[in-house]
Amino acid sequence: MPNEPIQIIRKIIHIDMDAFYASVEQRDFPEYRGKALIVGGLPQGRGGVVATASYEARKFGVRSAMSSKRAVQLCPDALFVRPRFAAYKEVSQKIREIFSRYTDLIEPLSLDEAYLDVTNDKLNIGSAIEIAKQIKQAIKDELQLTASAGVSVNKFVAKIASDINKPDGLKFIGPSTIEEFMERLPVEKFFGVGKVTAQKMKQMGLHTGADLKKLTEDELVRHFGKAGRFYYQIVRGIDNREVQPHRETKSLGAEDTFAYDLTTLEEMEAELDKIALTVYDRLLKYNLKGRTLTLKVKYSDFKQITRNQSFPTAFNDLETISQTAKQLMAATNPEDARIRLLGISLSNFGDIVPKQKEEKELGPGDQLALEF
């Protein structure tokens, strides 16, 4: 068909560290090894949020962003430790150094995961699968940690592949199997599909990629806006997004739409703690500090407000982000409110750590076939 988009074939690796924060703690403190370990806020008082959990704790159903109180209900014998973000950032930088041996096209998503474009790798290895193996082995040998890797021709499929054989996994999904793979994929695994969108899709009888494939591009756009165009392409195995090593960042944040309306200040503050943790992690990733924090609130009637506070000096510490958001929230008089979305963002950046050099953007080209 003349209007079908053309797929650009690249060699993409997605590396995702296994239970990163918890694994660093277990590496550094032998008494935590083999134990159900939860890194995050303590469950006492109002309680905090789980940043991550060891695989021993995950067996009990403990997950990131879960309240610590809920986590201790699921796993009463769990050990709780507070995050040491400076330590995690230092390890993350060492992981990045390993990546840079193979390519300069590295797009970090957080401290513990990144995309790599190895279409033209520095060492002329040629095989993305072999590069992924070498990276995993280097992380194990040099840092005593494990990572999982997904290898494919685009970012979307590589990211999903990295999650298939965790922990310490390696999964390759080649061009000839992508469409079949996408057809079997549950809709909640699609890029940009959160809980609310997934629920809407299922109400429409759309449960898998194969179901999405039955709709035309116009139908998908009508139901899901601009994201519908992306769903139309990705279910056909097409994702032409480039790995972006540098992006000018004017603001940085995170938001969440809830499965049910929040009606109490305690619920709102618990959700703000989770969002603040995500924002904090992203600030560390980009070495950014902001002077202005903005709170976004959307009510059940879709009315939306923002409130912001500026500071004389730039900051990026978790405590300031969380407490400022909560203070702005309290000032909105939320007692009788029903809230469906909350968001936190930072802007007015300063104290930016300069890049070592401005890499030349490499164009991988429209290759028809590659050896992985």
Side-chain angles (χ1 to χ4, degrees), residues 203-215:
Q203 287 172 348
M204 295 171 59
L206 305 173
H207 298 276
T208 65
D211 296 327
L212 286 176
K213 206 169 183 180
K214 295 173 185 175
L215 300 184

Side-chain angles (χ1 to χ4, degrees), residues 116-173:
L116 286 70
D117 186 330
V118 295
T119 310
N120 301 296
D121 69 277
K122 287 181 177 180
L123 303 180
N124 294 319
I125 294 170
S127 166
I129 297 171
E130 177 59 29
I131 293 170
K133 288 179 180 177
Q134 291 189 19
I135 288 173
K136 279 168 50 64
Q137 193 62 47
I139 290 171
K140 189 175 292 185
D141 292 344
E142 298 173 31
L143 303 174
Q144 294 77 53
L145 297 169
T146 65
S148 293
V151 180
S152 193
V153 297
N154 61 51
K155 291 164 71 171
F156 184 92
V157 181
K159 183 172 173 63
I160 295 171
S162 68
D163 197 47
I164 290 177
N165 293 325
K166 269 187 165 290
D168 199 17
L170 172 60
K171 177 67 175 177
F172 168 60
I173 301 176

Side-chain angles (χ1 to χ4, degrees), residues 235-252:
V235 79
R236 290 161 174 80
I238 299 167
D239 176 12
N240 290 331
R241 292 175 301 150
E242 296 181 4
V243 171
Q244 299 179 347
H246 299 310
R247 284 179 287 189
E248 183 181 357
T249 308
K250 295 182 179 178
S251 68
L252 185 152

Side-chain angles (χ1 to χ4, degrees), residues 125-360:
I125 294 170
S127 166
I129 297 171
E130 177 59 29
I131 293 170
K133 288 179 180 177
Q134 291 189 19
I135 288 173
K136 279 168 50 64
Q137 193 62 47
I139 290 171
K140 189 175 292 185
D141 292 344
E142 298 173 31
L143 303 174
Q144 294 77 53
L145 297 169
T146 65
S148 293
V151 180
S152 193
V153 297
N154 61 51
K155 291 164 71 171
F156 184 92
V157 181
K159 183 172 173 63
I160 295 171
S162 68
D163 197 47
I164 290 177
N165 293 325
K166 269 187 165 290
D168 199 17
L170 172 60
K171 177 67 175 177
F172 168 60
I173 301 176
S176 63
T177 60
I178 286 180
E179 270 204 74
E180 181 185 352
F181 175 81
M182 296 306 303
E183 288 175 358
R184 296 198 309 267
L185 195 69
V187 292
E188 56 267 25
K189 294 286 188 180
F190 275 71
F191 175 81
V193 175
K195 292 179 182 178
V196 175
T197 303
Q199 186 177 12
K200 178 180 177 181
M201 286 181 172
K202 290 176 180 179
Q203 287 172 348
M204 295 171 59
L206 305 173
H207 298 276
T208 65
D211 296 327
L212 286 176
K213 206 169 183 180
K214 295 173 185 175
L215 300 184
T216 67
E217 184 173 1
D218 287 342
E219 287 173 328
L220 286 169
V221 171
R222 188 162 64 249
H223 288 294
F224 305 108
K226 292 180 181 178
R229 197 162 284 116
F230 182 80
Y231 302 151
Y232 179 83
Q233 292 193 14
I234 196 58
V235 79
R236 290 161 174 80
I238 299 167
D239 176 12
N240 290 331
R241 292 175 301 150
E242 296 181 4
V243 171
Q244 299 179 347
H246 299 310
R247 284 179 287 189
E248 183 181 357
T249 308
K250 295 182 179 178
S251 68
L252 185 152
E255 62 183 40
D256 196 7
T257 301
F258 311 112
Y260 60 89
D261 292 340
L262 308 182
T263 57
T264 69
L265 184 58
E266 186 174 9
E267 287 179 316
M268 298 167 198
E269 290 188 340
E271 294 299 335
L272 286 173
D273 275 336
K274 299 176 189 178
I275 298 168
L277 184 63
T278 302
V279 173
Y280 175 77
D281 194 24
R282 292 175 179 173
L283 288 167
L284 288 184
K285 177 183 77 171
Y286 288 110
N287 291 321
L288 290 174
K289 295 183 178 182
R291 293 185 176 87
T292 301
L293 184 143
T294 300
L295 172 73
K296 176 180 176 182
V297 182
K298 185 180 288 185
Y299 298 95
S300 57
D301 62 359
F302 289 86
K303 176 188 174 185
Q304 181 174 303
I305 64 168
T306 58
R307 298 289 184 268
N308 61 69
Q309 182 174 339
S310 294
F311 294 77
T313 57
F315 65 94
N316 68 351
D317 61 288
L318 181 59
E319 182 71 15
T320 303
I321 297 167
S322 179
Q323 291 304 316
T324 303
K326 290 177 184 177
Q327 290 167 7
L328 292 171
M329 186 76 246
T332 66
N333 299 316
E335 288 77 13
D336 298 321
R338 301 183 65 86
I339 290 173
R340 73 185 311 268
L341 176 148
L342 289 172
I344 301 171
S345 62
L346 262 71
S347 58
N348 194 9
F349 290 121
D351 298 344
I352 301 174
V353 178
K355 304 290 183 184
Q356 290 184 340
K357 63 177 182 176
E358 187 66 30
E359 283 118 331
K360 180 181 177 183

Side-chain angles (χ1 to χ4, degrees), residues 61-82:
V62 179
R63 295 289 181 267
S64 300
M66 176 182 287
S67 74
S68 297
K69 287 185 175 181
R70 176 59 179 156
V72 82
Q73 289 174 350
L74 293 171
C75 188
D77 295 328
L79 299 174
F80 281 80
V81 297
R82 290 194 176 277

